[in-house]
Amino acid sequence: MNLFKADLHIHTVLSPCGSLEMSPKVIVERALEMGLDIIGITDHNSTLQCEVVVKLAGKKGLTVLCGAEVTTKEEVHCLTFFETFEKLETFQQYLDQHLPDIPNDTEMFGHQVWVDEDENILGEESRLLISAIDQSIEEVEAMVRSLDGLFIPAHVDRGRFSLYSQLGFMPSDLKPDAVGATFRANMDEMIKSHPELKKLAILRSSDAHFPEAIGTHYTVLEMEQCNFSEIRLALHQKDGRKVKELV
Ligand SMILES: [Zn+2]
Ligand SMILES: [Zn+2]
């Protein structure tokens, strides 16, 4: 088995709150500098910047998980990941269909653009990406499952936009692949208040919105190789794969 460093929660220039410096080029460079093996691209309610990151990262041997940080109807942030561009595109159509038609106020939130390998603008999302979509957490999970993706409620210890801040509990029918926690989380306390977490893999990541944050926190995964199915096995502690350490 081998050890891989994974920072699975990174925003790009496309997120309104993401720095304009967060181009695919800068993200890949910084991830490599920080010694990461895997990065997750998780813009708010959009997957449109993923493909360019994959293209750039592939040339440098960096693995990319493609997805989005979805804001559910209950305002719970959930990370979602998909194995193929085809599935990612189906999920993008789902997001487009369920994102409310509230225009982005660029003065207030900044531009929501996605760019190519050389940082030329490819497009701009006119609807505000940090709105909640009109789908419940169960509906989002069901959609992710139908595409055989990964479903990971984000930063569950946070006082806003998290599973426990918004719902107060883990719905019994929810079956996440893992949960995210911030570096501030006291996991012993969390598990005491929410015993269901004991059975789940917990991931730590940077939730980077600017380049310097990438790789400041990450999760070490023990796996044979670095790919989507191995990561799924590691999250479910199967076949000797596991989450080894939170940094
Ligand atoms: Zn979030
Ligand atoms: Zn985030």
Side-chain angles (χ1 to χ4, degrees):
M1 290 288 168
N2 301 294
L3 299 178
F4 299 97
K5 292 181 182 176
D7 182 355
L8 295 181
H9 189 159
I10 297 176
H11 292 269
T12 80
V13 60
L14 175 57
S15 289
C17 42
S19 153
L20 277 175
E21 290 169 78
M22 288 294 259
S23 67
K25 194 172 158 191
V26 168
I27 291 171
V28 170
E29 275 167 13
R30 180 72 184 167
L32 292 168
E33 267 169 37
M34 294 300 285
L36 296 174
D37 302 294
I38 311 164
I39 55 172
I41 298 300
T42 53
D43 283 308
H44 291 292
N45 293 329
S46 180
T47 67
L48 293 174
Q49 188 66 86
C50 292
E51 201 168 335
V52 178
V53 182
V54 171
K55 247 194 226 168
L56 273 175
K59 294 176 190 161
K60 316 261 175 161
L62 178 68
T63 300
V64 181
L65 282 197
C66 292
E69 180 174 25
V70 178
T71 306
T72 71
K73 190 162 82 178
E74 307 87 348
E75 301 205 298
V76 178
H77 286 185
C78 297
L79 304 184
T80 58
F81 295 108
F82 304 92
E83 191 167 8
T84 65
F85 288 137
E86 201 186 346
K87 287 172 177 168
L88 192 69
E89 200 187 325
T90 305
F91 194 67
Q92 180 61 43
Q93 286 164 7
Y94 168 79
L95 291 173
D96 285 339
Q97 203 183 329
H98 294 288
L99 184 69
D101 218 353
I102 299 168
N104 177 30
D105 180 344
T106 55
E107 298 267 298
M108 194 161 172
F109 299 110
H111 288 276
Q112 303 177 145
V113 296
W114 65 98
V115 302
D116 70 9
E117 294 176 52
D118 300 314
E119 306 182 335
N120 301 304
I121 293 175
L122 292 173
E124 178 160 9
E125 173 59 62
S126 59
R127 288 185 286 175
L128 180 63
L129 288 171
I130 50 172
S131 301
I133 67 169
D134 66 4
Q135 295 278 285
S136 69
I137 190 166
E138 286 89 355
E139 286 169 319
V140 174
E141 189 199 28
M143 183 63 194
V144 174
R145 290 274 162 259
S146 76
L147 295 167
D148 205 22
L150 297 174
F151 177 76
I152 303 171
H155 43 65
V156 293
D157 55 303
R158 259 180 58 175
R160 289 180 71 200
F161 301 119
S162 78
L163 180 76
Y164 295 123
S165 75
Q166 302 310 110
L167 304 180
F169 63 98
M170 174 92 67
S172 60
D173 49 353
L174 215 62
K175 300 278 177 271
D177 294 283
V179 297
T182 73
F183 70 96
R184 292 187 193 88
N186 179 334
M187 287 324 300
D188 293 338
E189 287 289 310
M190 288 290 296
I191 289 170
K192 220 186 269 172
S193 334
H194 306 286
E196 68 275 12
L197 291 176
K198 217 191 289 187
K199 286 186 245 147
L200 288 172
I202 295 168
L203 303 179
R204 188 181 287 163
S205 42
S206 66
D207 199 356
H209 286 73
F210 53 92
E212 293 71 26
I214 295 169
T216 49
H217 297 285
Y218 57 88
T219 302
V220 180
L221 301 175
E222 187 169 343
M223 310 183 288
E224 196 61 56
Q225 299 171 45
C226 213
N227 59 41
F228 196 92
S229 42
E230 289 266 326
I231 293 167
R232 191 199 306 273
L233 288 176
L235 299 185
H236 292 276
Q237 325 281 333
K238 281 194 178 144
D239 298 348
R241 279 75 170 162
K242 57 179 178 250
V243 173
K244 181 88 176 166
E245 193 188 354
L246 307 181
V247 180

